[in-house]
Amino acid sequence: MAKSAITLPLLFILLTFIDVSSSASMVFNVVTFGAKPDGVTDSTAAFLKAWQGACGSVASATVVVPTGTFLLKPITFGGPCKSKLKFQVTGTVVAPTDYRSFGSSGYWILFNKVNRFSLVGGTFDARGDGFWSCRKSGQSCPPGVRSISFNSAKDVVISGVKSMNSQVSHMTLNGCTNVAVRNIRLVAPGNSPNTDGFTVQFSTGITLTGSTVQTGDDCVAIGPGTRNFLISKLACGPGHGVSIGSLAKQLNEDGVENVTLSSSVFTGTQNGVRIKSWARPSTGFVRNVFFQNLIMKNVQNPIIIDQNYCPSNLGCPTEHSGVKISQVTYKNIQGTSATQQAMKLACSKSNPCTGITLQDIKLTYNKGTPATSYCFNAVGKNLGVIQPTSCLNR
């Protein structure tokens, strides 16, 4: 009996110790694998080795990028991994200054098929100014790379990340499910070409909260196949606003539905909230969209639907869009418009926008000249005070 009384507590302690140790996160510091925090030495191989170790760990693992500046060439962090994985960045990661060294890869940092994954902290500087200069000069330039991309990822958290000076898009989600993005900053000069901030397509269950986007193109670009996307507490500007589209790039194209943007501020942007489609046939659609509780500060085109998009009048044989837009609500949108036409709902010649709701809109142009609205083939209802005067067909 005495022997049993001693053995059982010891066995309990031993089992407890094993359980705790097996659940502890394994740490893979990139410096341990040879990364140099000098901003000059190529640390790509070291980052990849640290990733491979963490991804192959049966226990939850953390890749650590400590204080310092790390030079990283194009890299793919591939999954799926064996366990839950965190990528914790304290320092700064920079891209090569020679934009031609990227070739036509399309990516700088790609997370592919990761799940139960979190990217936390850090600054990612793509140093895109040389690439922008090439584009502005009219030279023959590479296509450019997206800074941080997630392809076919699931159950992901992205928090506290700063992306600077992207060549093209700062952060892209493609084919992803259940991704929570919070407190990120995406920053590039307002005149940097095609530098979209946050881009989503073919993805579902995405949230973007408490974030700031200051860039040269769309703050948020919502592409085909996006469903159940919630954006809140976004600070946008400079930039081109929040855009659904361009859609109808392809004849057979997935639709966009269940998108909500709320409690956000637009400052000096080219557009506020926009839905845009090419003026050509498409099987696509946009439905169940809510734009609510928004403030516009000197914004061009605060509310706009443009279904006649056709740059240089090329590639639009029928001159009308097949994309069907329905059940779109604009509620409690207030502020100032930099253009007299504060509201433009220019829908397809062949497919009217239906179920449009305007509620409690107050947009002003300047003290001497009232703002105006324009509608074409837009059908819906008005609730509360609408300023400028609504032009919806009922």
Side-chain angles (χ1 to χ4, degrees), residues 277-296:
S277 70
W278 285 76
R280 58 192 186 201
S282 173
T283 60
F285 60 83
V286 176
R287 61 189 179 217
N288 297 332
V289 176
F290 296 87
F291 298 119
Q292 58 192 19
N293 304 327
L294 307 179
I295 296 174
M296 304 287 171

Side-chain angles (χ1 to χ4, degrees), residues 71-361:
L71 175 64
L72 198 61
K73 292 182 178 179
I75 189 168
T76 297
F77 297 112
C81 298
K82 290 186 176 180
S83 189
K84 187 176 180 181
L85 199 157
K86 177 191 286 189
F87 202 102
Q88 176 78 54
V89 184
T90 306
T92 298
V93 179
V94 297
T97 53
D98 180 10
Y99 60 87
R100 295 191 182 277
S101 67
F102 290 94
S104 58
S105 66
Y107 301 102
W108 175 28
I109 299 169
L110 170 62
F111 294 95
N112 189 47
K113 296 183 179 178
V114 296
N115 55 68
R116 294 189 297 161
F117 174 78
S118 57
L119 173 62
V120 180
T123 297
F124 297 81
D125 188 352
R127 303 200 281 195
D129 52 341
F131 176 76
W132 308 330
S133 296
C134 180
R135 279 208 163 172
K136 290 176 182 178
S137 70
Q139 300 176 43
S140 176
C141 309
V145 293
R146 306 165 190 87
S147 284
I148 302 171
S149 300
F150 288 82
N151 286 357
S152 303
K154 183 178 181 182
D155 300 330
V156 170
V157 174
I158 304 168
S159 178
V161 173
K162 181 179 181 181
S163 169
M164 299 174 58
N165 304 317
S166 60
Q167 289 188 11
V168 286
S169 298
H170 286 271
M171 187 174 289
T172 302
L173 305 184
N174 180 49
C176 296
T177 304
N178 297 335
V179 180
V181 184
R182 51 182 179 256
N183 303 322
I184 64 168
R185 291 193 66 205
L186 311 178
V187 181
N191 63 353
S192 55
N194 303 114
T195 52
D196 283 333
F198 190 79
T199 302
V200 183
Q201 62 180 2
F202 306 110
S203 298
T204 186
I206 312 301
T207 61
L208 172 64
T209 59
S211 296
T212 298
V213 184
Q214 301 167 312
T215 194
D217 210 305
D218 293 336
C219 291
V220 180
I222 303 168
T226 300
R227 288 173 168 80
N228 305 327
F229 184 19
L230 172 63
I231 310 165
S232 65
K233 298 180 181 178
L234 172 72
C236 170
H240 293 185
V242 172
S243 183
I244 297 177
S246 301
L247 302 178
K249 292 179 182 178
Q250 308 293 331
L251 173 60
N252 296 308
E253 189 175 80
D254 205 354
V256 174
E257 62 183 328
N258 301 334
V259 174
T260 298
L261 167 66
S262 66
S263 305
S264 297
V265 179
F266 295 74
T267 304
T269 52
Q270 190 180 94
N271 303 286
V273 289
R274 174 172 61 167
I275 301 174
K276 181 173 71 170
S277 70
W278 285 76
R280 58 192 186 201
S282 173
T283 60
F285 60 83
V286 176
R287 61 189 179 217
N288 297 332
V289 176
F290 296 87
F291 298 119
Q292 58 192 19
N293 304 327
L294 307 179
I295 296 174
M296 304 287 171
K297 297 180 178 180
N298 197 37
V299 170
Q300 302 175 49
N301 310 308
I303 295 174
I304 180 168
I305 294 176
D306 179 9
Q307 291 204 263
N308 301 302
Y309 183 66
C310 191
S312 305
N313 294 313
L314 297 174
C316 308
T318 62
E319 297 184 351
H320 64 81
S321 178
V323 174
K324 295 177 174 62
I325 297 175
S326 63
Q327 307 305 317
V328 180
T329 297
Y330 303 89
K331 180 180 180 181
N332 189 28
I333 300 176
Q334 303 184 24
T336 55
S337 175
T339 50
Q340 185 174 4
Q341 191 177 87
M343 188 160 54
K344 178 181 179 180
L345 306 176
C347 300
S348 170
K349 295 176 183 178
S350 58
N351 296 294
C353 301
T354 60
I356 306 297
T357 299
L358 298 176
Q359 181 175 356
D360 301 328
I361 307 297

